[in-house]
Amino acid sequence: MERRKVIIDCDPGIDDALALLLAIKSEELEVVGITVCSGNVPVRMGAKNALKVLALCGKTDIPVYVGEEVPLVRELVTAQDTHGEDGLGERFYEVLEESKILEGGVQYIVETLRSQDKVSIIALGPLTNIAKALMEDREAFAYLDEFISMGGAYRIHGNCSPVAEFNYWVDPHAADYVYQHLPRPVHMIGLDVTRKIVLTPNLIEFINRLDAELATFITEITRFYIDFHWEQEGIIGCVINDPLAVAYFMDRSLCQGFESYVEVVTEGIAMGQSIVDSVDFYKKPNNAIINVDVDAKQFMSLFLKKLFVGYENLIDSIIGGL
Ligand code: RIB
Ligand code: CA
């Protein structure tokens, strides 16, 4: 099987960590590098968290690059109330091999696009690094294969305002720049689909029945996140946004959507809103694929089977009972 090369740009972050686990454990993907931006946590903390996930999987050979520290225009606002002061549920795991963290995330993106063919980017945080890379060397993106962005909201309320989703709200200027300048459609994995992906206590209980090394880590980092979801959204469980972007990259049938023109609002009360021109008011060329439906059971089955190999039948029975 041809493994698809990906750069994962992220802001780890609890759901970013779960997405990294999925990508690392999926034989269809070759994670050629991880670039980090500020978002859920400041960028250097995020880079350490990415390294912690790699160390857990024995994959610290995958390079981790520090990217942009602040958004293009706005002041940085993090989400440590959601992900914990350390970005991983306040477990404050020790960082091993910190010296492996590299500088120059933006330069790494453009150099990798130019030097390796058919590289895709899966962006799980604010789009600051991607926008900066486009500004620096737009021609490099002619070599880009596909671009997936977890971000935005179409017909569902935001999580930072009535209309804005966190990644695009943190750096709306970067988000809009990417939608206007990327020479590829943005596959938007927004809250319309990710809110349907809930890791429940039942599923966590099930994971802990599998004598797998990841169970403890997943249980530990999601505890804080589940508490936040109860307090803020009144749900039992936690929405794991980012893993869906990785799963969708591997299996397009997970989601259904449509092509449209998208603009991201950069100022004012609607700052960070992804304006989806689904009825073509602006008569502008489509620049995105908006995903609006997802088979949540199919996702959860893929997610669990990639992380916990050898438990396929058990996973099928649990998912069947959802
Ligand atoms: O709005 C959810 C997104 O913002 C997720 O990617 C989460 O990790 C945060 O980055
Ligand atoms: Ca994220």
Side-chain angles (χ1 to χ4, degrees):
M1 158 204 325
E2 186 196 350
R3 302 175 73 200
R4 295 188 70 189
K5 294 179 186 176
V6 292
I7 294 172
I8 297 184
D9 188 72
C10 54
D11 61 333
I14 292 166
D15 57 336
D16 300 71
L18 298 175
L20 289 174
L21 287 178
L22 176 60
I24 294 161
K25 296 280 186 180
S26 296
E27 66 282 356
E28 299 93 322
L29 302 185
E30 180 187 353
V31 181
V32 295
I34 295 169
T35 51
V36 183
C37 64
S38 288
N40 287 322
V41 294
V43 64
R44 292 183 186 285
M45 183 182 290
K48 290 175 187 174
N49 289 341
L51 194 58
K52 290 171 193 173
V53 175
L54 292 178
L56 182 72
C57 303
K59 295 293 289 178
T60 53
D61 56 306
I62 296 174
V64 176
Y65 289 87
V66 172
E68 294 298 300
E69 301 213 8
V70 293
L72 295 186
V73 175
R74 292 195 67 202
E75 296 285 320
L76 175 63
V77 178
T78 66
Q80 285 161 287
D81 61 333
T82 310
H83 294 263
E85 276 308 304
D86 67 335
L88 289 180
E90 298 197 345
R91 296 293 172 170
F92 301 103
Y93 297 112
E94 186 190 0
V95 187
L96 305 172
E97 303 180 275
E98 193 172 333
S99 58
K100 279 185 177 262
I101 294 174
L102 303 165
E103 299 295 324
V106 170
Q107 192 55 33
Y108 169 77
I109 291 170
V110 298
E111 285 174 0
T112 302
L113 290 177
R114 281 190 173 278
S115 61
Q116 297 192 44
D117 61 344
K118 289 182 75 66
V119 173
S120 295
I121 297 174
I122 304 175
L124 306 176
L127 296 178
T128 316
N129 288 341
I130 314 304
K132 281 281 194 176
L134 274 166
M135 292 171 184
E136 191 163 304
D137 185 357
R138 186 167 189 261
E139 287 64 47
F141 284 79
Y143 303 99
L144 174 69
D145 191 10
E146 287 192 304
F147 184 75
I148 317 287
S149 167
M150 190 281 131
Y154 169 46
R155 287 201 182 285
I156 195 167
H157 64 278
N159 56 12
C160 284
S161 81
V163 294
E165 174 280 327
F166 179 81
N167 287 332
Y168 294 1
W169 177 82
V170 163
D171 196 344
H173 299 85
D176 190 52
Y177 191 90
V178 170
Y179 275 90
Q180 303 314 318
H181 296 87
L182 193 76
R184 293 285 182 284
V186 176
H187 291 258
M188 185 175 114
I189 299 291
L191 295 177
D192 307 83
V193 287
T194 67
R195 271 215 174 93
K196 295 172 185 168
I197 308 298
V198 182
L199 187 62
T200 64
N202 254 11
L203 286 169
I204 291 170
E205 188 62 32
F206 169 63
I207 285 172
N208 277 287
R209 297 273 175 263
L210 310 181
D211 56 348
E213 59 191 345
L214 298 182
T216 304
F217 177 71
I218 292 170
T219 304
E220 288 182 343
I221 68 170
T222 53
R223 178 69 264 161
F224 188 97
Y225 203 37
I226 288 171
D227 293 343
F228 174 85
H229 277 77
W230 170 247
E231 287 145 26
Q232 295 299 314
E233 307 227 357
I235 65 169
I236 295 292
C238 55
V239 172
I240 53 171
N241 308 278
D242 293 335
L244 180 58
V246 173
Y248 167 83
F249 180 71
M250 292 191 285
D251 179 357
R252 223 41 56 100
S253 71
L254 281 171
C255 295
Q256 288 73 46
F258 60 91
E259 292 187 13
S260 182
Y261 170 71
V262 172
E263 204 162 304
V264 179
V265 179
T266 57
E267 311 294 340
I269 190 172
M271 181 184 67
Q273 183 177 12
S274 44
I275 304 287
V276 177
D277 184 17
S278 55
V279 291
D280 202 18
F281 272 107
Y282 302 140
K283 302 289 183 259
K284 291 201 174 174
N286 294 336
N287 58 1
I289 292 159
I290 314 305
N291 286 287
V292 292
D293 285 311
V294 59
D295 183 332
K297 285 188 176 182
Q298 187 185 339
F299 162 81
M300 200 53 77
S301 174
L302 183 155
F303 179 67
L304 293 175
K305 287 177 180 175
K306 290 296 182 191
L307 264 54
F308 302 100
V309 177
Y311 294 97
E312 285 70 18
N313 292 337
L314 258 180
I315 290 167
D316 284 339
S317 67
I318 287 291
I319 298 295
L322 288 181

